[in-house]
C-alpha cells in the first residue's frame, strides 16, 4: 500500500531512524534492570543518568529536577496532583483550551476535593488575556487561597503560544505555582525551563520523533516533589516501576537531534506551513485560518466554508490517502472540539488541522491542497 501523506504531526511523529538506532541496544544487549546491583544493570542505570544529564543541559535545568514518565498525560496528572495533594493549592487557574489531560484532571480534583478552579479569559484568537490572569491571581491571593496556574505553552489545535516567562513572573509576584504543558513546544523550540519561571513543565517524546510512551516532568528545585505512582525506589522514589530504558534513551536522543537541527528544521517547517496557507487561500474560496499571529510553526488550523462534506472531511481525506485531524464537527451537533467552542468558532465553519514535520515535503503539501480543492468543490450549505 502507498504511504499516506501524513499531515498530522501534532498528533504524533514518525520515529527518527537515529533515535531507533540509539534505542535498539537497550532492548537487546543492554537489557539489564537498572536497579540490579551487577554491572549489566548498573551500566543501564548509568545510561539513564547520562540521558537525564543531557536533557537537563538542553533544558537549562539540573538533572535532579527531571522525572521520566510515560508521556504528557502522566506528567500533567502528576504536576496537578502534587500541587493539590501535597503543596496545598486550593484554587486552580487554567484555560478552557487546555488538553483534556489537564482539564479532566483539574475537574477530577475540583469534584473530589475542596478546591475551586476558574478559567482565564481568552482573546478572540485564543490567546491568554494576561491582565485577566493577573486580576484572578490577585483576587485569589486576597482570599488567602494558594493558586496553581496550569496553562499550556502552545495549543495543539490552533497553535496559540503563551508568554511563558510573563506568566512565570505573574505567578511569582502572587506566590502561585505554575505548571505549563509544554508537550507541543519542548523539542520544537529552544527552551530554558529555569529562566521561564515554571515550577512544573510537561513534555512527551513522540511529538518530536521520539518513541511513544516516553515523557518528562520537570519539577523546579524550589519545591519538594511528591510521587503519583508508588512502589519501588526508581526516579528517586518519585515514579515507581522499572524504567522504560530504551524509551528514555530514545527521548534523550530525539531531543538532542531536535535541538541540534532546530534552526534548519523550524525554518523548513515554517516555510511549508506558509506554502500550504498560500495555496489553500488561492484554491479554496472563503477559506480562513484559526491560528493567531503568534503561533506554533508546526500547525495550520483551517476554517473551511460549511458544505455537505463538512462532517466527513477527515474520512474523505483518509480515503484520498491524506492523514489530518478534525478541529470541530460542525453541523453534526455532537459538540465538536472544546477549543473551537471556547474561541466561539464551533459550527461557524469546518475546521481541519494540518501539522507538519521535517519529513513533510512541498510535493505533499501541493498534492494535499489539490485534494482539498477537489473535495470541497461541492454545493455549500449555510452555517448552523
Ligand atoms: C498539548 C498536549 N498535551 C498533552 C498531550 C498528551 O500527551 P501524551 O500523548 O504523551 O500522553 C498531548 C498529545 O496529544 C498534547 O498535544
Amino acid at each position: 500500500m502507498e504511504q499516506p501523506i501524513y499531515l498530522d504531526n501534532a498528533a504524533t511523529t514518525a520515529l527518527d531512524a537515529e533515535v531507533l538506532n540509539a534505542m535498539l541496544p537497550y532492548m537487546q544487549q543492554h537489557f539489564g534492570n537498572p536497579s540490579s546491583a551487577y554491572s549489566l544493570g548498573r551500566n543501564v542505570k548509568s545510561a539513564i543518568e547520562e540521558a537525564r544529564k543531557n536533557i537537563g543541559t538542553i533544558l537549562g535545568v539540573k538533572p535532579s529536577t527531571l522525572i521520566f514518565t510515560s508521556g504528557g498525560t502522566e506528567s500533567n496528572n502528576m504536576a496537578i496532583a502534587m500541587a493539590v495533594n501535597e503543596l496545598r493549592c486550593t484554587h486552580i487557574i487554567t484555560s478552557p483550551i487546555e488538553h483534556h489531560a489537564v482539564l479532566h484532571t483539574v475537574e477530577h480534583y475540583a469534584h473530589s476535593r475542596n478546591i475551586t478552579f476558574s478559567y482565564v479569559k481568552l482573546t478572540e484568537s485564543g490567546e491568554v488575556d494576561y491582565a485577566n490572569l493577573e486580576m484572578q491571581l490577585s483576587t485569589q491571593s486576597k482570599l488567602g487561597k494558594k493558586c496553581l496556574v496550569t496553562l499550556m505553552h502552545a495549543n495543539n489545535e490552533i497553535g496559540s503560544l503563551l508568554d511563558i516567562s510573563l506568566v512565570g513572573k505573574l505567578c511569582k509576584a502572587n506566590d502561585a505555582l505554575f505548571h505549563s504543558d509544554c508537550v507541543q513546544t519542548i523539542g520544537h523550540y529552544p527552551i530554558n525551563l529555569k529562566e521561564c519561571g515554571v515550577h512544573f513543565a510537561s513534555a512527551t517524546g513522540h511529538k518530536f520523533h521520539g518513541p511513544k510512551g516516553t515523557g518528562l516532568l520537570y519539577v523546579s528545585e524550589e519545591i519538594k516533589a511528591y510521587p503519583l505512582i508508588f512502589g519501588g525506589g526508581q526516579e528517586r522514589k518519585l515514579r515507581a516501576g522499572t524504567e522504560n530504558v530504551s524509551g528514555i534513551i530514545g527521548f534523550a536522543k530525539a531531543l538532542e537531534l531536535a535541538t541540534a537541527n532546530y534552526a534548519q528544521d523550524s525554518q523548513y517547517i515554517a516555510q511549508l506551513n506558509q506554502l500550504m496557507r498560500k495555496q489553500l487561500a488561492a484554491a479554496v474560496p472563503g477559506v480562513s485560518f484559526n491560528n493567531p499571529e503568534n503561533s506554533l510553526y508546526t500547525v495550520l488550523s483551517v476554517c473551511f466554508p460549511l458544505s455537505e462534506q463538512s462532517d466527513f472531511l477527515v474520512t474523505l481525506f483518509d480515503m484520498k490517502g491524506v492523514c489530518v485531524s478534525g478541529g470541530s464537527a460542525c453541523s453534526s451537533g455532537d459538540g465538536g472540539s472544546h477549543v473551537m467552542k471556547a474561541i466561539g468558532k464551533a459550527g461557524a465553519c469546518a475546521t481541519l488541522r494540518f501539522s507538519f514535520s521535517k519529513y513533510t515535503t512541498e510535493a505533499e503539501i501541493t498534492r494535499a491542497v489539490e485534494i482539498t480543492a477537489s473535495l470541497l468543490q461541492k454545493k455549500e450549505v449555510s452555517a448552523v
Side-chain angles (χ1 to χ4, degrees):
M1 211 178 98
E2 213 180 302
Q3 268 295 100
I5 297 177
Y6 186 73
L7 298 179
D8 201 15
N9 290 278
T12 196
T13 53
L15 192 73
D16 193 305
E18 270 195 72
V19 173
L20 178 64
N21 286 337
M23 292 170 69
L24 282 174
Y26 290 90
M27 296 174 175
Q28 296 169 319
Q29 64 265 42
H30 307 306
F31 63 86
N33 188 319
S35 299
S36 296
Y38 39 78
S39 60
L40 189 73
R42 280 188 282 110
N43 291 343
V44 174
K45 174 92 177 142
S46 300
I48 292 178
E49 293 318 314
E50 182 67 17
R52 200 190 311 274
K53 195 176 103 206
N54 293 342
I55 297 168
T57 305
I58 291 170
L59 299 177
V61 294
K62 286 191 185 158
S64 59
T65 59
L66 301 172
I67 304 164
F68 289 117
T69 67
S70 65
T73 300
E74 184 184 328
S75 298
N76 288 341
N77 270 263
M78 192 172 179
I80 296 167
M82 232 184 265
V84 171
N85 292 338
E86 324 282 355
L87 301 169
R88 296 196 304 277
C89 289
T90 51
H91 184 82
I92 302 178
I93 302 175
T94 186
S95 89
I97 61 168
E98 298 302 301
H99 192 273
H100 283 141
V102 164
L103 286 179
H104 291 336
T105 309
V106 169
E107 285 159 12
H108 166 75
Y109 286 111
H111 290 137
S112 61
R113 292 177 177 266
N114 193 19
I115 64 157
T116 51
F117 74 96
S118 55
Y119 293 127
V120 70
K121 206 170 144 198
L122 298 174
T123 65
E124 264 180 22
S125 51
E127 290 165 299
V128 164
D129 178 334
Y130 299 103
N132 179 263
L133 174 62
E134 190 169 19
M135 188 271 286
Q136 290 202 31
L137 278 166
S138 124
T139 305
Q140 294 301 329
S141 159
K142 280 181 197 139
L143 290 171
K145 292 214 169 196
K146 173 98 180 161
C147 282
L148 167 71
V149 171
T150 172
L151 291 172
M152 66 207 314
H153 194 191
N155 182 270
N156 48 303
E157 288 192 34
I158 55 170
S160 51
L161 283 164
L162 184 77
D163 186 339
I164 194 168
S165 300
L166 174 58
V167 176
K169 284 189 192 118
L170 293 176
C171 289
K172 190 167 183 191
N174 288 279
D175 195 27
L177 294 184
F178 176 27
H179 164 245
S180 191
D181 175 344
C182 296
V183 158
Q184 294 289 345
T185 52
I186 287 181
H188 293 286
Y189 290 89
I191 299 177
N192 184 310
L193 290 174
K194 191 156 180 147
E195 286 172 4
C196 291
V198 284
H199 296 98
F200 307 100
S202 308
T204 194
H206 71 103
K207 306 287 185 185
F208 51 93
H209 307 287
K212 292 171 183 56
T214 65
L216 195 70
L217 178 68
Y218 161 71
V219 184
S220 149
E221 55 194 320
E222 279 173 44
I223 51 175
K224 180 164 164 41
Y226 293 88
L228 178 67
I229 296 174
F230 299 87
Q234 293 91 350
E235 296 296 286
R236 291 178 295 110
K237 293 195 179 153
L238 291 171
R239 205 271 186 175
T242 301
E243 297 88 337
N244 174 2
V245 179
S246 60
I248 290 169
I249 301 299
F251 184 110
K253 185 70 185 175
L255 188 61
E256 184 194 309
L257 291 172
T259 306
N261 302 324
Y262 164 71
Q264 186 189 321
D265 291 348
S266 61
Q267 195 189 17
Y268 174 70
I269 296 166
Q271 170 230 312
L272 289 178
N273 193 328
Q274 277 305 317
L275 179 72
M276 184 156 207
R277 198 177 174 118
K278 241 168 78 185
Q279 290 191 353
L280 282 174
V284 182
V287 75
S288 62
F289 301 94
N290 301 312
N291 300 66
E293 204 157 302
N294 186 23
S295 170
L296 271 181
Y297 60 87
T298 47
V299 166
L300 182 64
S301 174
V302 187
C303 210
F304 293 110
L306 291 177
S307 71
E308 287 162 359
Q309 285 73 36
S310 293
D311 286 348
F312 320 107
L313 280 178
V314 172
T315 310
L316 292 172
F317 272 93
D318 184 34
M319 287 163 69
K320 298 275 181 191
V322 184
C323 303
V324 291
S325 265
S328 67
C330 352
S331 47
S332 64
D334 72 349
S337 146
H338 68 287
V339 175
M340 299 312 291
K341 257 195 223 159
I343 62 166
K345 286 198 175 174
C349 57
T351 297
L352 281 188
R353 179 190 69 183
F354 299 92
S355 49
F356 318 101
S357 82
K358 61 182 179 180
Y359 296 131
T360 312
T361 65
E362 280 192 19
E364 286 178 320
I365 298 282
T366 302
R367 181 69 194 126
V369 173
E370 282 167 9
I371 291 169
T372 311
S374 75
L375 285 176
L376 293 169
Q377 267 169 14
K378 297 276 158 61
K379 203 171 139 279
E380 287 184 13
V381 295
S382 54
V384 288

